[in-house]
Amino acid sequence: MWCELQGWNRRASAMESPPGTTMVAALVHLLVAMTAAVLPSAGGEQPLSKIGVHRATLAIHPGASVDASPPLLGLQGQDQEWVKIGFNNPKPSKDDWIGVFSPANFSDSICPSENQWVEAPLFCTAPIKFQYANYTTTDYAKTGKGSLRLQIINQRSDISFALFSGGLSNPKLIAHSNIIAFANPKAPVYPRLAQGKSWDEMTVTWTSGYSTKEATPFVEWGIQGQIQILSPAGTLTFSRDTMCGPPARTVGWRDPGFIHTSFLKDLWPNLKYTYRIGHRLFNGQIVWGRQYSFKAPPYPGEDSLQRVVIFGDLGKAEIDGSNEYNDFERGSINTTYQLVKDLKNIDMVMHIGDICYASGYLSQWDQFTAQVEPIASTVPYMVASGNHERDWPGSGSFYGTLDSGGECGVPAQNMFYVPAENREQFWYSTDYGMFRFCVANTELDWRPGTEQYKFIEHCLSSVDRQKQPWLIFLAHRVLGYSSATFYGAEGTTEEPMGRESLQLLWQKYRVDIAMYGHVHGYERTCPVYENVCVAKGSDRYSGAFTATTHVVVGGGGASLAEYTAERARWSHAQDLDYGFAKLTAFNHTTLLMEYKRSRDGSVRDSFTVSRDYRDVLACGVDNCPSTTMAS
């Protein structure tokens, strides 16, 4: 590796660049970093973007060292393990840091330039995580000796650790470690369930290092204790060329491996099924994942207890403290913990956009799927598209921001299954018992006359409210009402052309609740229509539908937003904290909405809706046609 680094440094130094290339490259990287930091919708800076990979240099010190142990991980089939790193630097500094690289040989080639004006970086790949050398060894700056314990997950390749000086802005490689690896780096990992296109279908998606040229992917599944069924899986992947810009196309790129999806069909309502993912190698050997279980969905309209958790903007955080976000995303650990703790009382999860905030650093998608694996492997984990998944200039997004880091929706559309007619569009409907969920994609145009508008109206209008009385509209950006300061600064309380385009539909088809992310906090309105409370905000509603209640529940884990100082009349409840919503349908006439804080699971706001079918049919404001006295 050291020889390759020396040779690579010589090759990089010999590169010829157009005049002013270095200055232009620096300005481009600065623009990307500044945009991510200052845009109100960004919610924080991806910590890996703080590392000046394009400015990294070699400064190997013969007296410095890094050692990692154990050398072999996953001997009992584990997909994540703790690794101890010991290091020494004769010339220590408080700015020294340890970078975790996978693949271990992070210097095997020079990154291609994005264009002739952007200089290729010296180091081709950003680390998958990092931590300061003095994180647990407070006297490191004096002694030059330190150690760390870091959690490492199986990401289909070997791993090495590197000691850098010069801080994150101007990293200098001082020493690198021995290579460690998982016993089977290609093993199938991190299964995630999702509802299929019909109510009696469950999909299982997972990641592995096996292409279809090496092995055949499948799922073994069935009713617990009975004969098991084998179902084949389809395989997808994507390449650097499908990314729209940097860093996803440059230092943030990492091979995503292979993503497999199997469709488990003709499920019996409410029965418990077991499953395990596997790959049959062409020599006949089978590589198995762990065994999991799930409960099949209820029949649409079935009168039974049904519980759905909804939140946005979760992101990922490291339990070992690495990839420090300051206050950004630390709440995601608590949210994940609360959901796992209460998993026996959850039937489905709806994550409405801003999934993991990879922002062009592809390694973070593996990190995220590992974080939510205890949840997503057990109940359907449904996602929506947000600005940090989709937005990129010139990519067809409704917004021209840099928020996706050049991903332009590709990783999200592949890593998670949604029952959309077109995965590129990423809008869909899904039924769960007495619920109908209409999931919009706010990163694509939703205005009247568009394809998405037609989808939204069809989703709302086609539900049989006698069977499925609870109609819920979900979207990432706030198309309804929000008191966020960044909306206030624009002189609005919503996305431009948001509710103006859709409120007639919500009112006409009597949408019970519309829920959003994007604003990192919680807010609930009164039943509101055209900016006016049709009914007072309350903890209990009964009788005929009056108007839709709008709920912002974007406090999954990303750094919290701020509210405007002046409280709007329609704003009934607010909480500037991390949390999530839980909808509980007790039967066809009673629905409970609870907002819970992630720190302790306590209920901070709630309301119930009690409504008979005749109340659904009753006329309200703008939701009944004209009538006559003709007989």
Side-chain angles (χ1 to χ4, degrees):
M1 183 175 181
W2 163 232
C3 294
E4 291 170 348
L5 285 167
Q6 283 185 312
W8 193 28
N9 198 20
R10 288 195 297 270
R11 295 197 305 272
S13 299
M15 290 174 59
E16 294 183 0
S17 304
T21 297
T22 302
M23 180 178 293
V24 173
L27 288 173
V28 170
H29 283 281
L30 180 62
L31 174 63
V32 172
M34 287 180 64
T35 303
V38 303
L39 277 177
S41 62
E45 183 182 356
Q46 162 59 248
L48 295 176
S49 70
K50 300 176 184 177
I51 301 173
V53 178
H54 57 293
R55 291 189 293 271
T57 57
L58 290 171
I60 298 294
H61 194 292
S65 63
V66 183
D67 296 297
S69 62
L72 193 59
L73 311 175
L75 291 174
Q76 276 78 51
Q78 307 97 313
D79 52 33
Q80 50 189 318
E81 285 211 52
W82 288 86
V83 173
K84 183 176 181 180
I85 302 98
F87 42 90
N88 172 62
N89 184 3
K91 296 183 178 180
S93 164
K94 62 181 178 62
D95 294 328
D96 291 357
W97 57 279
I98 295 288
V100 184
F101 289 86
S102 178
N105 180 11
F106 53 91
S107 59
D108 58 354
S109 65
I110 296 175
C111 277
S113 295
E114 183 65 18
N115 56 54
Q116 65 172 335
W117 303 111
V118 180
E119 188 177 48
L122 174 61
F123 280 9
C124 196
T125 306
I128 61 174
K129 59 197 296 184
F130 71 92
Q131 183 55 274
Y132 286 99
N134 62 4
Y135 181 68
T136 55
T137 311
T138 55
D139 61 348
Y140 167 78
K142 294 181 180 179
T143 66
K145 298 181 183 295
S147 64
L148 288 170
R149 287 184 73 247
L150 298 177
Q151 188 181 63
I152 303 299
I153 70 167
N154 189 346
Q155 291 184 259
R156 304 170 305 284
S157 189
D158 51 12
I159 306 111
S160 66
F161 305 83
L163 174 62
F164 290 87
S165 66
L168 301 179
S169 300
N170 294 284
K172 300 176 178 60
L173 179 60
I174 302 298
H176 54 83
S177 76
N178 52 299
I179 293 175
I180 67 172
F182 277 84
N184 182 9
K186 294 185 176 184
V189 291
Y190 320 131
R192 35 225 188 250
L193 301 173
Q195 297 247 103
K197 290 185 178 180
S198 62
W199 72 268
D200 60 349
E201 179 181 65
M202 189 74 74
T203 68
V204 185
T205 300
W206 71 95
T207 308
S208 84
Y210 292 113
S211 73
T212 53
K213 296 179 180 179
E214 299 175 89
T216 301
F218 66 96
V219 176
E220 181 187 74
W221 63 285
I223 298 172
Q224 193 170 22
Q226 297 187 17
I227 296 174
Q228 302 296 286
I229 303 167
L230 300 183
S231 291
T235 299
L236 297 171
T237 189
F238 52 92
S239 67
R240 186 197 298 264
D241 292 339
T242 58
M243 302 293 101
C244 289
R249 286 176 67 98
T250 54
V251 297
W253 169 254
R254 189 180 190 277
D255 192 304
F258 299 94
I259 302 150
H260 317 278
T261 299
S262 183
F263 298 83
L264 316 185
K265 299 175 181 291
D266 300 323
L267 302 176
W268 288 63
N270 304 306
L271 290 187
K272 185 175 182 179
Y273 287 81
T274 60
Y275 74 96
R276 58 175 175 166
I277 51 181
H279 293 261
R280 185 185 296 275
L281 306 181
F282 291 139
N283 63 6
Q285 178 186 356
I286 296 179
V287 179
W288 291 107
R290 296 202 301 272
Q291 188 174 75
Y292 301 89
S293 64
F294 66 86
K295 189 181 80 169
Y299 188 84
E302 179 183 307
D303 200 338
S304 61
L305 184 68
Q306 297 154 17
R307 302 149 301 184
V308 180
V309 165
I310 303 172
F311 57 83
D313 308 77
L314 180 65
K316 58 162 287 292
E318 302 282 350
I319 62 173
D320 58 20
S322 58
N323 286 19
E324 294 177 358
Y325 269 98
N326 296 321
D327 66 338
F328 183 58
E329 290 187 338
R330 195 62 199 168
S332 72
I333 293 279
N334 290 339
T335 299
T336 304
Y337 171 77
Q338 290 297 336
L339 298 186
V340 172
K341 183 180 176 182
D342 195 40
L343 201 53
K344 65 181 182 298
N345 297 312
I346 298 171
D347 297 310
M348 185 165 68
V349 169
M350 308 290 292
H351 184 163
I352 49 176
D354 282 7
I355 300 170
C356 74
Y357 290 88
S359 299
Y361 291 85
L362 276 296
S363 63
Q364 304 308 288
W365 283 97
D366 287 316
Q367 302 282 342
F368 177 79
T369 53
Q371 177 175 311
V372 300
E373 184 250 15
I375 306 164
S377 62
T378 306
V379 300
Y381 196 97
M382 313 300 294
V383 300
S385 183
N387 50 302
H388 283 278
E389 282 77 56
R390 182 63 181 85
D391 294 355
W392 191 257
S395 70
S397 170
F398 197 46
Y399 301 85
T401 74
L402 302 171
D403 290 352
S404 78
E407 293 181 7
C408 55
V410 175
Q413 291 160 203
N414 284 275
M415 296 294 287
F416 286 88
Y417 175 85
V418 296
E421 291 301 318
N422 184 334
R423 295 276 286 278
E424 172 69 23
Q425 293 171 330
F426 226 69
W427 59 67
Y428 62 95
S429 67
T430 190
D431 296 329
Y432 191 90
M434 293 175 284
F435 287 104
R436 160 68 61 88
F437 294 98
C438 298
V439 185
N441 181 356
T442 57
E443 311 317 300
L444 300 180
D445 198 347
W446 63 82
R447 292 174 295 178
T450 64
E451 192 174 353
Q452 180 165 201
Y453 183 90
K454 295 174 184 176
F455 153 76
I456 293 171
E457 181 163 27
H458 180 265
C459 183
L460 299 178
S461 65
S462 60
V463 61
D464 182 343
R465 299 299 288 274
Q466 183 181 3
K467 294 180 179 178
Q468 294 177 288
W470 309 119
L471 182 55
I472 314 297
F473 177 83
L474 301 176
H476 176 64
R477 292 177 185 260
V478 180
L479 302 183
Y481 297 82
S482 168
S483 298
T485 53
F486 60 81
Y487 284 133
E490 297 170 351
T492 183
T493 56
E494 54 160 335
E495 288 297 322
M497 302 167 288
R499 61 177 179 264
E500 287 77 10
S501 297
L502 298 174
Q503 60 186 346
L504 283 173
L505 295 183
W506 297 327
Q507 194 70 6
K508 178 180 179 180
Y509 297 111
R510 302 170 176 84
V511 172
D512 295 293
I513 306 173
M515 307 183 80
Y516 317 96
H518 198 58
V519 175
H520 301 166
Y522 173 79
E523 186 169 25
R524 170 165 69 99
T525 72
C526 60
V528 59
Y529 177 56
E530 292 188 336
N531 211 36
V532 175
C533 288
V534 180
K536 291 183 178 180
S538 175
D539 60 359
R540 184 178 298 275
Y541 302 101
S542 61
F545 173 87
T546 55
T548 302
T549 297
H550 295 259
V551 179
V552 174
V553 60
S559 54
L560 296 171
E562 295 180 357
Y563 296 128
T564 55
E566 186 174 350
R567 187 79 169 262
R569 292 181 180 179
W570 44 256
S571 180
H572 179 69
Q574 293 180 347
D575 189 46
L576 189 58
D577 207 334
Y578 299 106
F580 53 93
K582 184 177 183 180
L583 297 180
T584 301
F586 294 101
N587 47 48
H588 281 72
T589 60
T590 306
L591 175 70
L592 170 66
M593 200 292 304
E594 298 172 290
Y595 162 68
K596 297 186 175 185
R597 277 187 175 173
S598 298
R599 65 175 69 181
D600 55 12
S602 62
V603 177
R604 304 297 295 183
D605 184 41
S606 67
F607 67 92
T608 59
V609 179
S610 299
R611 187 179 298 138
D612 291 323
Y613 180 56
R614 62 179 180 176
D615 296 324
V616 178
L617 298 177
C619 292
V621 180
D622 283 355
N623 58 18
C624 272
S626 300
T627 58
T628 73
M629 294 298 292
S631 60

